[in-house]
Amino acid sequence: MRKYLTISYVLMFFVCLQSVCGQAKYVFYFIGDGMGVNIVNATEAYLSAMNGERGSVSLLMTQFPVASISTTYSADADVTDSAAAGTALATGKKTKNNYLGVDPDVQPMETIAEKAKKAGKKVGVASTVPINHATPAAFYGHQKSRSMYYEISQDLLSSGFDFFGGAGLYNRDKFYDKTTAPDIYPLIEQAGYTVAKGYEDFKANAGKSKKVMLVQKNWEEAGGIPYAIDRTSEDLSLRQITEAAIDVLMRNNKKGFFLMLEGGRIDWAAHANDAASVVKEVIDMDEAVKVAYEFYKKHPKETLIVITADHDTGGLTAGQGRLNITPLQHQRQSQDQLTKRINELRVSKNGIVSWEEVKDLLTTTMGFWKEIPISWEQEKNLRDAYEETIAKNREVVDRNLYADNSLLAAKAKQVMNEVARLGWGTTSHSGGFVPVYAIGAGQHLFTQQMDNIEIPQKIIKAANY
């Protein structure tokens, strides 16, 4: 037996030398904003239920050979915000909530992306939310507040990174007057970036560009790429952004690249406790992971893919005694889009909307009554919201961090959570564990529970930045 064990260890040693213990020339760093372990669990439960058998379907990311968990506290709080968490994941050091790329004394800290650039690598940063939002900005920005969007955009321009992708930019913050501050958008092209407005524009006009910014067609609005559940063929996806980033970063490149990709709207949907939208966002990010994995299969000895989250959002409980998650398939729009549809209905009817018309809308968008039986109490909650607002032609807002929704849309989401037997502990962040998945050169570094500052430290070691 000892002889066979010795042979096994020798074989493992040579495998390690040839692949996972090699230097990472190409690094993919995925961050699912708000993607706590229970959100991943609920997504796989949904996919399996849709397949007709518990535990039958897994996300690609959860099948990576290394899976662990991470803590996420910040320098001044047990529950972090995205700026402090993004900074930790970008620099390997803790800072205070709201601080971005600076230490607790507001001194700039070098990020892993900046280290990669200094090492001669090409660098990309992308997200499904505005590119100067907290998590993507943590990889190039150095400001005392995550809300200093104009200053962060200037940091973006001075970074010299090769690729940026996402919804666009928040243009000016509250400290700048539009009449005195130069518009940031012309400055992007002056800095040498080809701005591609949509994936088709990228393919048509950015084929030879050295530096590219890929954004939504309506990038000036910069509200975020639409939720996957609401998306049309005109909208960008994280998968397309990943494909474009690889294309740009591999042009005339012999030294490798570092690419951070954020599934940013997982967090936004979780703040709204909108389970169907959350699940679809996780699936959307996993589609982007598949693109990176295909690249890894072509360069297995030189590629490292690491996936984690900046924090958990929502404190999701996947099941209350039992789970009934398949009804999520019948929700066809996010809570935000349902609010828009309700408002459009009210305008089209000059403020006089019947309960039957509202029921038709909820049947179309949420599947209630037709595909999803709901109880008398649940219908009463919906009807009460209608009577309180639409019937009186008045508005009552249900507010979360990223959206103001109609009371009826909020009640519809609540009914869906009840039907699916999903519980939410908060509309904010929680201190729960987040997952860590890894495959490729250096994957052995990620095998134990860790704190978030250790993740970039381990990537730096694997890539030798």
Side-chain angles (χ1 to χ4, degrees):
M1 177 64 72
R2 184 174 298 173
K3 177 181 178 181
Y4 292 126
L5 287 173
T6 301
I7 293 172
S8 296
Y9 285 130
V10 170
L11 289 173
M12 287 174 62
F13 174 74
F14 279 110
V15 168
C16 187
L17 284 179
Q18 292 175 4
S19 58
V20 300
C21 293
Q23 184 172 317
K25 181 178 179 180
Y26 307 107
V27 175
F28 294 88
Y29 194 3
F30 284 91
I31 300 174
D33 197 323
M35 191 182 71
V37 290
N38 276 0
I39 284 178
V40 176
N41 181 37
T43 303
E44 291 197 324
Y46 171 78
L47 291 171
S48 294
M50 293 299 295
N51 193 49
E53 184 179 357
R54 294 181 184 88
S56 61
V57 179
S58 300
L59 296 161
L60 174 62
M61 67 179 90
T62 66
Q63 299 308 295
F64 282 3
V66 174
S68 186
I69 54 175
S70 172
T71 50
T72 63
Y73 60 90
S74 69
D76 65 341
D78 292 320
V79 179
T80 187
D81 79 332
S82 290
T87 298
L89 292 173
T91 68
K93 298 177 181 178
K94 297 284 186 183
T95 195
K96 295 179 180 179
N97 284 1
N98 201 49
Y99 284 21
L100 190 76
V102 296
D103 67 17
D105 296 319
V106 201
Q107 296 302 307
M109 296 188 290
E110 189 175 39
T111 74
I112 186 173
E114 292 166 338
K115 287 180 182 291
K117 192 66 178 173
K118 281 185 178 180
K121 313 292 184 180
K122 290 193 176 183
V123 174
V125 172
S127 178
T128 52
V129 300
I131 306 166
N132 54 358
H133 210 257
T135 303
F139 286 80
Y140 61 81
H142 305 279
Q143 301 297 335
K144 63 182 179 181
S145 170
R146 60 181 287 178
S147 299
M148 299 175 71
Y149 297 113
Y150 193 81
E151 295 90 338
I152 292 167
S153 298
Q154 292 173 321
D155 289 341
L156 180 153
L157 296 177
S158 64
S159 72
F161 292 173
D162 305 273
F163 179 88
F164 289 99
L169 297 168
Y170 289 129
N171 197 349
R172 299 178 180 89
D173 60 49
K174 62 184 178 181
F175 302 107
Y176 279 82
D177 189 311
K178 290 185 178 182
T179 60
T180 59
D183 193 317
I184 201 69
Y185 294 122
L187 300 180
I188 296 169
E189 293 183 334
Q190 291 175 24
Y193 290 91
T194 297
V195 178
K197 299 177 182 178
Y199 194 56
E200 293 304 316
D201 186 33
F202 168 79
K203 291 191 291 184
N205 299 310
K208 296 182 179 180
S209 303
K210 293 182 179 179
K211 295 199 295 184
V212 173
M213 179 177 283
L214 172 60
V215 295
Q216 270 284 92
K217 279 189 174 182
N218 58 338
W219 71 316
E220 289 87 353
E221 297 177 11
I225 293 170
Y227 287 117
I229 198 171
D230 299 326
R231 203 172 293 156
T232 71
S233 60
E234 296 293 308
D235 297 313
L236 276 175
S237 67
L238 192 59
R239 181 185 183 97
Q240 291 173 333
I241 293 172
T242 306
E243 291 171 346
I246 293 171
D247 184 350
V248 173
L249 298 179
M250 287 296 285
R251 293 172 188 173
N252 301 314
N253 184 2
K254 296 181 179 179
K255 292 189 175 182
F257 63 69
F258 170 87
L259 175 59
M260 192 289 293
L261 298 142
E262 182 201 23
R265 301 213 80 184
I266 300 169
D267 175 68
W268 292 25
H271 276 290
N273 293 172
D274 185 347
S277 296
V278 167
V279 164
K280 296 296 175 62
E281 287 301 307
V282 175
I283 294 170
D284 184 65
M285 194 178 88
D286 202 55
E287 288 298 310
V289 171
K290 291 176 183 178
V291 175
Y293 183 68
E294 289 303 312
F295 182 94
Y296 158 80
K297 290 196 295 184
K298 296 175 183 177
H299 309 273
K301 298 179 183 179
E302 302 175 298
T303 302
L304 172 63
I305 305 173
V306 176
I307 303 166
T308 190
D310 51 355
H311 51 72
D312 173 68
T313 301
L316 177 65
T317 302
Q320 297 176 329
R322 62 183 179 86
L323 186 62
N324 179 41
I325 203 165
T326 53
L328 296 186
Q329 68 181 299
H330 300 299
Q331 180 176 330
R332 299 173 179 90
Q333 294 182 322
S334 68
Q335 181 183 208
D336 295 6
Q337 190 65 22
L338 177 56
T339 293
K340 182 179 179 181
R341 291 283 300 276
I342 291 168
N343 291 336
E344 288 173 346
L345 178 62
R346 294 174 70 174
V347 170
S348 70
K349 298 293 182 177
N350 295 315
I352 303 173
V353 182
S354 70
W355 170 239
E356 290 305 316
E357 288 170 323
V358 167
K359 284 187 71 173
D360 287 343
L361 178 59
L362 293 177
T363 299
T364 300
T365 57
M366 304 295 288
F368 296 157
W369 297 287
K370 182 179 179 181
E371 292 140 326
I372 303 173
I374 63 174
S375 68
W376 179 88
E377 291 85 358
Q378 290 164 340
E379 180 168 346
K380 182 178 183 299
N381 285 338
L382 296 172
R383 181 66 183 259
D384 287 348
Y386 161 79
E387 295 290 351
E388 185 178 347
T389 58
I390 298 173
K392 297 178 180 178
N393 199 22
R394 62 189 290 264
E395 188 60 66
V396 176
V397 172
D398 181 81
R399 180 171 287 115
N400 63 67
L401 184 61
Y402 290 110
D404 290 346
N405 287 301
S406 73
L407 180 62
L408 180 61
K411 292 295 183 181
K413 169 208 67 184
Q414 180 181 326
V415 169
M416 182 62 79
N417 283 329
E418 290 174 1
V419 170
R421 300 187 72 83
L422 294 167
W424 295 89
T426 179
T427 57
S428 188
H429 300 171
S430 85
F433 288 122
V434 298
V436 181
Y437 307 112
I439 188 171
Q443 67 181 41
H444 61 288
L445 299 171
F446 299 87
T447 55
Q448 295 178 321
Q449 179 179 325
M450 65 202 79
D451 183 60
N452 57 6
I453 62 171
E454 297 178 67
I455 298 172
Q457 293 170 6
K458 292 173 186 293
I459 295 174
I460 289 168
K461 182 176 181 180
N464 194 29
Y465 294 154

